[in-house]
Amino acid sequence: MKTLGAALVLSSLLAGAGLAPTQAAHAGTSRADDPAVGSPEYVARDTQNIADAYGRVTDQQLGDPAYLPALVQQGTAVGVAQLLEQVATPDRPSVTPGAFVPGWNVGNPFRAAWDGTRGRMRDVSFTNRYGALLRGTLYAPLPRARDPYTGKRIKGRLPGVVITEGSVQGSEGMYRWLAQDLAERGYLVLTYDVQGQGTSETLPHDGTLNGVPSQQIDNFVVGTEDALSFFTSTPRTPYPDHGAGDLVDAHNPWHRRFDRRPDRRPNAAGRTTRIAIIGHSLGAAAVTQVQGTDERVSTVVALDKLGLSTSSGTDGGDAFEPVVPALAVQSEYGFTVGPWFAAGGSSITPQPSPQGPDPRRERATGYDAWRDAGVDSMLVVPRASTHLEYTDIPLVLPASRWGQALTSAYVQRWLEHYLKHRTSVRTLLATKMRYLEPTSSGEWVPVVLRRDPLLSFYYCSAMHLGRGAIDDGDLTDVGC
């Protein structure tokens, strides 16, 4: 709450100086040429950027009087359901904030009406290889649904997406925004809690302490691999229950909706299964690793960061082989927001930077390795973004106003090309994108996202697409 208070004070001071965060009808405003490092103009711009890094709290959550009542109502409903779930499985305890802290696993309360109106959700349970009970959710379009962006009927079976959450007690409800956005566009999506997070079990059942503590890369790799196995399971090839019996689903209950036809246009040799994996934070490091070894993966999306070295601050330093096309959405700030002269190192572990931020910092954490390997890749760095852009957390922690929307728009376009093969790669070059955003009225309203003002003016965004036919290492001329 101290962080939030500081943000509100800062916003008030900026407003008095004529520098209040924008709330335009179109997301984003044009920016002037970069001022000299350390100049008054540079400091003023940096101060504005810091304030904008709290935009989701100040503009979207506290700025809408309907948000708090909706949060209380939905938080109460989710909390009671989770407590009853714990009571029903006393020998499978989830000792986590996601299970017991009100509001932790709610996500955006304005999305509460999505199930049954824009798509379908179904709770699932399975065990990881250590016998720990993992809980998750499947998302799919409504029967005979139409794509809300194109109006076209969603027909046939669906490509799959598995989303692995972030560490430091991330929980699947925080990623409902992306699962819902993808499901209503024609994907079958699985979110889940890794062992020791959210509502999943804390301890294993194999006579060891495997998966404890939860905050380790192996736990997220195991979670991703086992979630893929559950997602692809059927009555003929059931998922092993590892002794959980009736507590788990024997197989993916919506297995018939998954498109199992071999992809005739694979993104890499032998990668013919139509599944994308998406991860955040330590989950991003995990999916970076899994894409290199698991032949079921067709493409990967890493949300802060696509990490190949310890410079990313999110992995153990192992070098992973780039195999499938990768979209990296990475942030300017970490868990906290700091001034320009403390932007050295990585966003997760900042260090002094008296010369100003290094514009190549985010490229170096993974994108450059993908490009050097000749594998299609794209790096998007939203302006004023924090490590928490990709989680729906109420009120307390910093995130920008438009980072989540921009992320979803790019993920949708990325998967439309690399998983469905229905669009040209050039759709990823668009400088304007539409996004449907939920509101307190229960409606999803369109906003226009203007790319260049919404990308970082500190760190380069980049793309290497079409096997090098499109190669731009600095989309908005930051200085790479």
Side-chain angles (χ1 to χ4, degrees), residues 89-114:
T89 55
D91 59 338
R92 300 275 180 167
S94 304
V95 187
T96 70
F100 294 105
V101 176
W104 194 276
N105 205 24
V106 169
N108 185 344
F110 293 162
R111 290 181 171 272
W114 186 89

Side-chain angles (χ1 to χ4, degrees), residues 40-41 65 83 89 94-95 105 117 122 132 140 187 194 210 213 244 272 348 390 398 403 413 416 426 469 476 480:
E41 295 80 9
L83 287 174
T89 55
S94 304
V95 187
N105 205 24
T117 61
R122 175 167 176 165
Y187 299 91
V194 302
N210 283 322
T272 60
I348 309 299
Y390 322 101
R413 286 173 178 249
E416 191 75 9
R426 292 192 173 275
T476 52
C480 286

Side-chain angles (χ1 to χ4, degrees), residues 301-356:
V301 177
L303 308 177
D304 213 29
K305 312 190 180 314
L306 181 68
L308 294 184
S309 70
T310 52
S311 65
S312 71
T314 58
D315 62 40
D318 295 329
F320 311 132
E321 181 184 4
V323 174
V324 299
L327 170 63
V329 186
Q330 302 185 180
S331 299
E332 293 185 339
Y333 305 110
F335 292 93
T336 58
V337 180
W340 62 272
F341 51 81
S346 76
S347 63
I348 309 299
T349 55
Q351 298 174 9
S353 56
Q355 303 304 314

